[in-house]
Amino acid sequence: MALWARQASRWCCLLNTCRAAGFAGRLRSCGSPARNSCREFSPLALLPAGKDAVLWRLQACSHVSVGSCSAPDGAKDGSSSSVESNLPSLVKQEPAKAETLPDLNAKILNEDWDDIPPSSALDEISEEEAVQIIAEPILPLQSTTLRHYVDHSETLAKLVHLGVDLSQVEKRQKAGQLLLTLDFEKDIRKILLFLKDVGVEDNQLGPFLTKNPYILGEDLEALETRVAYLKSKKFGKSEIAQMVSRAPYLLLFSVERLDNRLGFFKNELGLSVKKTKDLVIRLPRLLTGKLEPVKENLQVCHIELGFQRNEIQQIVYKTPKILTANKKRLRQTFDYLHNIMGIPHRMLTRFPQVFNSKLLRIRERHMFLSFLGRAQYDPAQPSYISLDQLVSLPDEVFCTEIAKASIQDFEKFLKTL
């Protein structure tokens, strides 16, 4: 249809040119209208040659002989008729007959086709278009960091938004590979809801998963079974939440291992069920850490430091951290307290928190009190100073209330050491 309309438009333009040159009069005065008009009608020369052209000429002659070339009657009664006045009838009649269109070859159709052919990947482009092309970065097949995958992984992006520190996660063995295999909606969401139900606060989910990303690969039913075991041992909901938050690996331990750990501390220290429960609530990493350091520290306290079993029981119950303290530091602190300051075992048993203090702090304050003549640690003597006061008070309070001196005097004394 587009081709026929284009040819009709060309006819109208040529007819207007012929009329301006004076050919309209010759067309009206021809003796044999059909033959002469068909011979003189120059627009037909623009049509394709060959058999198709013959058909087109025959059709055009028939329409012109009926319309424009048989117009003498109209001229007699004063009406002016021309060939172009009858062309619209030609345009209106022919589109209805699709079979009369010429069978043009593919070359002509391609030349007159209105649609732009699709571009090819082999087409050349300008430098301006090339600069605007942004190529996506290629993901490495192997990487030592997760930052290469964050922009391409919805799971990693949501974990970062949650507060997970991927730079710390990737330091843990196979943790990064685990996260890349998980789907947030399918695998991770249910674990997050479980942790919230256990009692982990929203703002602690990120730090929790940073320390223990392996929980995301655990079976949900197994996690629920371990929480149910703790409840069966009379741990309250808030106590379980506190234990899980402070010891993120706790729920990775099976029920059997948790039961063995609780039994170890109960039997090894000779504690009651209630005291054992209180012990692990205050230091839940006792249930997740290695038992060898604990056994070694118990041996150090009994054999090297000379504490009796009942004294060790009191020290551990009051200060659970002594079970995981550095053995060398433990020996040095005891040596200074017992051999330099003269603190007996029974006093150390009453104030075991002194073992958690820095040895430098103990030494500086004891030397300052000795310089002032106030280093008195016997409760039976006047001006008694307890070990708790010695190590727990801030410097200002220690100077004014215990040493009866100013903070400036204490600082000047430290400079002389």
Side-chain angles (χ1 to χ4, degrees), residues 198 227 230-231 235-245 250-251:
V198 169
V227 173
L230 294 176
K231 291 181 179 179
F235 288 96
K237 182 177 177 61
S238 61
E239 295 170 342
I240 294 175
Q242 178 182 342
M243 294 169 63
V244 171
S245 298
L250 179 64
L251 294 181

Side-chain angles (χ1 to χ4, degrees), residues 242-243 246 271 275-286 314-321:
Q242 178 182 342
M243 294 169 63
R246 297 178 61 185
L271 298 175
K275 287 188 175 181
T276 303
K277 187 179 72 172
D278 293 340
L279 180 71
V280 298
I281 289 174
R282 286 183 290 150
L283 193 64
R285 69 168 182 265
L286 290 176
Q314 295 181 48
I315 291 173
V316 170
Y317 182 72
K318 292 179 179 178
T319 313
K321 286 184 179 180

Side-chain angles (χ1 to χ4, degrees), residues 49-273:
K51 296 180 180 180
D52 297 332
V54 174
L55 294 174
W56 281 70
R57 293 172 188 271
L58 290 175
Q59 283 183 340
C61 290
S62 62
H63 286 292
V64 173
S65 60
V66 173
S68 63
C69 294
S70 58
D73 296 334
K76 292 179 181 179
D77 51 5
S79 64
S80 61
S81 64
S82 61
V83 177
E84 63 270 19
S85 64
N86 293 290
L87 281 177
S89 63
L90 181 65
V91 177
K92 293 178 182 177
Q93 294 173 5
E94 278 303 315
K97 299 179 180 180
E99 65 275 8
T100 60
L101 292 174
D103 185 14
L104 302 178
N105 54 41
K107 182 177 180 180
I108 297 176
L109 289 176
N110 286 339
E111 290 176 355
D112 294 332
W113 195 251
D114 291 335
D115 296 336
I116 300 175
S119 60
S120 171
L122 301 179
D123 291 345
E124 294 184 2
I125 61 176
S126 64
E127 294 183 1
E128 291 76 6
E129 294 175 332
V131 171
Q132 296 176 357
I133 297 177
I134 301 176
E136 291 292 335
I138 300 177
L139 286 177
L141 298 179
Q142 293 182 349
S143 178
T144 58
T145 177
L146 290 172
R147 67 173 179 267
H148 293 148
Y149 304 94
V150 173
D151 293 336
H152 304 274
S153 172
E154 180 183 3
T155 297
L156 294 182
K158 289 184 176 181
L159 288 176
V160 171
H161 183 71
L162 197 63
V164 178
D165 188 351
L166 297 182
S167 65
Q168 297 298 320
V169 172
E170 63 193 18
K171 295 178 182 179
R172 308 185 186 279
Q173 187 177 11
K174 296 183 179 180
Q177 299 177 10
L178 171 66
L179 296 185
L180 290 174
T181 61
L182 297 178
D183 180 81
F184 189 88
E185 297 297 331
K186 180 181 178 182
D187 305 316
I188 297 179
R189 181 179 292 276
K190 59 184 180 181
I191 303 298
L192 295 177
L193 295 176
F194 164 77
L195 292 175
K196 286 172 61 69
D197 185 64
V198 169
V200 180
E201 299 293 336
D202 291 349
N203 59 350
Q204 291 298 317
L205 288 174
F208 181 93
L209 295 178
T210 300
K211 296 177 182 177
N212 180 20
Y214 304 107
I215 196 172
L216 297 176
E218 288 290 307
D219 181 70
L220 183 59
E221 293 184 1
L223 296 175
E224 293 174 342
T225 301
R226 294 160 194 170
V227 173
Y229 167 77
L230 294 176
K231 291 181 179 179
S232 70
K233 293 298 180 179
K234 307 303 180 183
F235 288 96
K237 182 177 177 61
S238 61
E239 295 170 342
I240 294 175
Q242 178 182 342
M243 294 169 63
V244 171
S245 298
R246 297 178 61 185
Y249 284 96
L250 179 64
L251 294 181
L252 295 185
F253 283 69
S254 64
V255 171
E256 293 76 12
R257 293 186 67 181
L258 290 174
D259 191 67
N260 291 337
R261 289 298 179 93
L262 290 173
F264 169 81
F265 290 107
K266 179 180 180 300
N267 299 327
E268 192 72 17
L269 299 174
L271 298 175
S272 64
V273 174

